[in-house]
Amino acid sequence: MKIDLKKSHAAFERAKRLIPGGVNSPARAFGAVGGHPLFIDRAQGAYLYDLDGNKLIDYIGSWGPMILGHAHPQVIEAIVQAAQKGTSYGAPTENESRIAEMILGAYPSMQRVRLVSSGTEATMSAIRVARGFTKRNRVIKFSGCYHGHVDSLLVSAGSAAATLGVPDSPGVTPGTSQDTIVLHYNDCRSLQNTLEQLGSQIAAVILEPIVGNMGTVVPSKEFLTALRELTKLHGVVLIFDEVMTGFRVAYGGAQQLFGIEPDMTTLGKIVGGGLPLAAYGGRLEIMDHVMPAGKVYQAGTLSGNPLATAAGAKTLEILRDNPPYEYLESLGQRLGDGLLAAATRNGIAAQMQRVGSMMTLFFNPDPVVDWPSADRSDRKLFAKYFWGLIERGVYMPCSQFEALFFSRTHTVEDIDRSIDAAGEVFRELANQKD
Ligand code: HOZ
């Protein structure tokens, strides 16, 4: 190993004696790439600093939220000011309405929105509300899509569940998952057949409108059209899980980018500006079923927490008033093209899948359109690529099946340094093959 990771190793040994697997979320465990995770001391702008003092260009961005870069001064100031007024009241605040107004302004498909604390809570609640609204039980999801660790959706799931080989988690009872139907992403025919046969039993179709959790996978135009038309035809609630894509691929998320209105939307990550806040919402007639407006129960002590709403509202305000999306697109194109060129120049079969500032370099000779094609990627090669980049100060997501994210604070120099580092790694790997 070319860099010193002694303190991270010691910290991981200690954590393993206290916390299952030493981590509080499996996606961080480096399980698919081997070795020990880096323990982070602090972060600023585009960089992470680990316990051993290594400075790394960060392409995880806390798995999505940090679109403005780490420790953005205005976001930090908003959090500090909120904290000085108390950290939680268990009573409504005006800031909840302020951020709700901003969300509804950005997502016209939603007429009401409920704030929760995590993406998991948002998708779990959206499914419950869709069931309450339609009075139907069954739900369609797509293999490789991940919607948090909701029991009924931990079936053929992406993210760390796929990375660590447990797409169907033990502990999820057959009873819980029996109402979940799993189809392949981008497969219009099976969607049509399933809805024709079972449409009257299906409450919702849920999907990531651009997948991040099997690596980045983009929907075809036909798939998006089929989703909207068929769900409408069969009275099924179409839920866009925009926890990753919301405020990321455009201020109004994938639905703005594609010009398609789902019935319900879930948000997380960026909406909380790096603090635990998420949201779900949709058409008025659906959301009016949520208690206390309606009878579908959903609650939370820390829902709409004052620190989280302060960080989230400030982040959205900055994104709205000074949109970074053109800049992110130009940097994304540079990075995506650069990484792919570096791989192919060295004889490595790869596919770049990208939308703006989220992307995945798949080590795969064929286009990746769904989980079976993603699953054929070369995991071993990915692990070598990952560690080669760490040694050169570039911190990528630790799985082939995660999207990388970068921020407004990343510079052309950061991008070019990362491409050069990848080029060196690929050269080394090509030489090893010879
Ligand atoms: N949803 C995140 C990206 N797949 C993972 C975060 C986590 O599970 O820790």
Side-chain angles (χ1 to χ4, degrees):
M1 184 59 60
K2 288 181 194 148
I3 61 168
D4 188 5
L5 296 175
K6 276 198 228 52
K7 287 188 179 157
S8 273
H9 285 190
F12 188 50
E13 290 308 321
R14 177 183 178 212
K16 277 195 294 189
R17 291 193 296 272
L18 302 164
I19 300 167
V23 290
N24 282 312
S25 192
R28 307 171 193 172
F30 283 24
V33 292
H36 293 175
L38 274 57
F39 274 56
I40 304 305
D41 177 46
R42 66 193 173 88
Q44 185 68 54
Y47 307 112
L48 294 175
Y49 299 83
D50 73 5
L51 286 187
D52 291 280
N54 300 303
K55 176 182 177 184
L56 301 123
I57 306 175
D58 180 21
Y59 287 103
I60 296 188
S62 185
W63 302 96
M66 310 316 301
I67 192 166
L68 297 177
H70 293 284
H72 187 286
Q74 285 170 266
V75 177
I76 299 298
E77 179 56 24
I79 297 169
V80 169
Q81 276 188 18
Q84 279 164 350
K85 291 161 73 177
T87 56
S88 184
Y89 318 125
T93 63
E94 280 197 305
N95 227 15
E96 290 165 76
S97 296
R98 180 172 162 233
I99 193 168
E101 218 162 55
M102 294 171 95
I103 294 170
L104 299 184
Y107 292 79
S109 66
M110 287 195 246
Q111 286 151 355
R112 292 287 185 277
V113 61
R114 173 58 70 80
L115 303 180
V116 292
S117 299
S118 72
T120 294
E121 249 188 284
T123 54
M124 178 183 73
S125 309
I127 295 285
R128 185 182 305 145
V129 173
R131 285 176 165 151
F133 170 68
T134 56
K135 300 187 177 54
R136 301 172 180 175
N137 291 341
R138 302 181 90 170
V139 169
I140 293 177
K141 81 170 285 278
F142 298 93
S143 56
C145 282
Y146 176 73
H147 306 288
H149 58 98
V150 178
D151 276 4
S152 63
L153 301 175
L154 265 182
V155 185
S156 298
S159 191
T163 301
L164 302 175
V166 283
D168 305 298
S169 172
V172 173
T173 62
T176 319
S177 57
Q178 76 186 2
D179 288 323
T180 307
I181 298 168
V182 182
L183 304 178
H184 290 317
Y185 203 79
N186 273 324
D187 183 347
C188 301
R189 179 159 303 175
S190 61
L191 179 67
Q192 179 168 7
N193 291 343
T194 308
L195 285 172
E196 273 170 9
Q197 281 168 33
L198 303 170
S200 63
Q201 301 172 27
I202 292 173
V205 173
I206 185 167
L207 76 154
E208 300 178 71
I210 297 162
V211 191
N213 284 295
M214 53 175 137
T216 307
V217 174
V218 183
S220 69
K221 226 180 163 150
E222 300 71 47
F223 185 56
L224 286 172
T225 308
L227 280 162
R228 185 58 288 183
E229 287 179 358
L230 292 168
T231 48
K232 206 169 248 173
L233 183 68
H234 293 279
V236 172
V237 176
L238 178 61
I239 306 173
F240 272 13
D241 178 351
E242 297 230 42
V243 168
M244 267 192 187
T245 51
F247 301 104
R248 165 63 62 182
V249 295
Y251 189 65
Q255 53 196 273
Q256 178 188 321
L257 203 65
F258 297 139
I260 173 169
E261 290 211 339
D263 303 303
M264 295 187 79
T265 300
T266 59
L267 295 167
K269 301 195 188 275
I270 291 173
V271 78
L275 265 70
L277 186 138
Y280 70 95
R283 297 203 324 262
L284 180 58
E285 60 170 333
I286 301 174
M287 290 302 287
D288 256 356
H289 283 68
V290 179
M291 193 168 266
K295 291 189 175 145
V296 177
Y297 196 81
Q298 183 270 311
T301 302
L302 292 173
S303 294
N305 171 267
L307 267 59
T309 51
K314 180 52 74 179
T315 299
L316 300 194
E317 189 185 295
I318 295 168
L319 291 173
R320 184 194 60 198
D321 298 346
N322 191 4
Y325 300 101
E326 269 182 37
Y327 176 70
L328 294 175
E329 169 59 26
S330 76
L331 235 55
Q333 184 161 14
R334 192 179 183 100
L335 181 62
D337 291 354
L339 292 177
L340 183 63
T344 38
R345 207 172 38 242
N346 288 287
I348 290 171
Q351 309 286 326
M352 171 51 67
Q353 305 251 106
R354 180 183 76 82
V355 180
S357 57
M358 67 185 278
M359 71 184 81
T360 303
L361 184 68
F362 285 100
F363 294 111
N364 195 319
D366 304 311
V368 175
V369 296
D370 55 13
W371 173 244
S373 49
D375 193 27
R376 289 193 287 274
S377 304
D378 187 337
R379 293 162 163 86
K380 284 198 184 128
L381 188 56
F382 179 87
K384 289 180 188 164
Y385 165 72
F386 171 82
W387 278 111
L389 287 179
I390 290 273
E391 288 182 353
R392 290 165 177 82
V394 179
Y395 188 74
M396 289 282 175
C398 50
S399 166
Q400 172 73 97
F401 307 117
E402 297 283 4
L404 77 77
F405 301 102
F406 62 88
S407 76
R408 199 176 78 175
T409 52
H410 285 68
T411 61
V412 170
E413 290 71 37
D414 293 324
I415 298 296
D416 288 350
R417 262 190 54 207
S418 308
I419 295 168
D420 289 347
E424 275 181 37
V425 175
F426 292 139
R427 249 193 320 280
E428 238 174 56
L429 293 173
N431 289 339
Q432 282 168 17
K433 265 201 298 192
D434 296 340

